[in-house]
Amino acid sequence: MPPPRRLGAVRALPGKGRKPTAPPVKKACCDSPDIQEQDGSKICKNCFTQISEANIVSDVTFEETANGGAAVQGGYIGENARHAGQLNSATFRRMGGGEKHDGAEIDRKGREHIEPYARILGIPMNVITIARNIWTLQAGHSFTSGRSVEEVAACCVYAACRRQPGNIVLLIDLAEIIKINVFRLGEVYKAMCKEIFLDENQLHYAHMIDLEALIEKYCRRLQFDEATNQVAEDALKIMRRMRRDWMTTGRHPAGLCGACIILAARMNNFKRTVREVVFVAKIADQTIAERIREFRSTKSAGLTVAQFREVGTRIAHQADPPSLHLQEERRKALARKRQKRGLA
């Protein structure tokens, strides 16, 4: 009986000396290809076979909207964006479920709230660019947490304006636009400066308010017509006289400008009421009355209109600061009260 034969393995190993063969290379087009790129696609010039194509192009194309306008087709991706945004609408195309609060979203939100101030207050675009940079800086510190976006955007615009010489934008102007208390906005501004600005880098260098430009701004709003320049010039002379008499130190610029414009309007025979100046300067009528009362106690207040225009700013005499007069008045009032009571 012959011995049984053993069956071979199901997966037999290749024999010795046998090497695996590589798959045959498929030709792209012809025997002698001449591949060139044209309009984002690779084409063989010999057989005109399209090897590959690219759908992403850098050409700007337009489409017609339903109302007959022209809109740009395509999209853009910001520097810190995680998705592409459409150029012809305010919506965004999400790619991969991107984050909603990323860098591009923060910049977009800042532009939406900062750019309207440029149109309302006439702020130049270079100042708006600085305000956007301040917005990005505060966003890195999460300063908007617990605060409204309108407040922080207004503070960024005001901080950018204060860095420009000849600034005439006041914090109360921004507070009036967003309908918020100016003291609340001032608290947010001080907190933002403390949070993101560093003294050693001198980032928070702020210029003083230009009183001359502020006076011209208020005079234009009060509509003095052809006499606007003359009223502004007289108000500026009164301001210089107040500065020499120690009346401008530590005082709000709007109150000083309002008092000077009231006096200058009277010098040019204009009947502008205190209420009209209060509406323009956004300052209390009591503050304007106090500045006028302080100016009345100086020697220059006794001059005529012609004399003040000629030598009002050249008088060498300087009055004492109003705080000293206030202390003297309080001392005299206390002495009269004691004398009345028989304690003197």
Side-chain angles (χ1 to χ4, degrees), residues 23 79 104:
E79 181 180 359

Side-chain angles (χ1 to χ4, degrees), residues 90 92 105-117 119 132 135 149 153:
F92 289 96
E105 186 76 11
I106 293 174
D107 295 340
R108 183 188 64 84
K109 187 179 296 184
R111 288 195 303 268
E112 289 181 354
H113 290 85
I114 289 176
E115 289 181 354
Y117 296 112
R119 299 189 297 267
R132 292 177 186 170
W135 172 272
V149 180

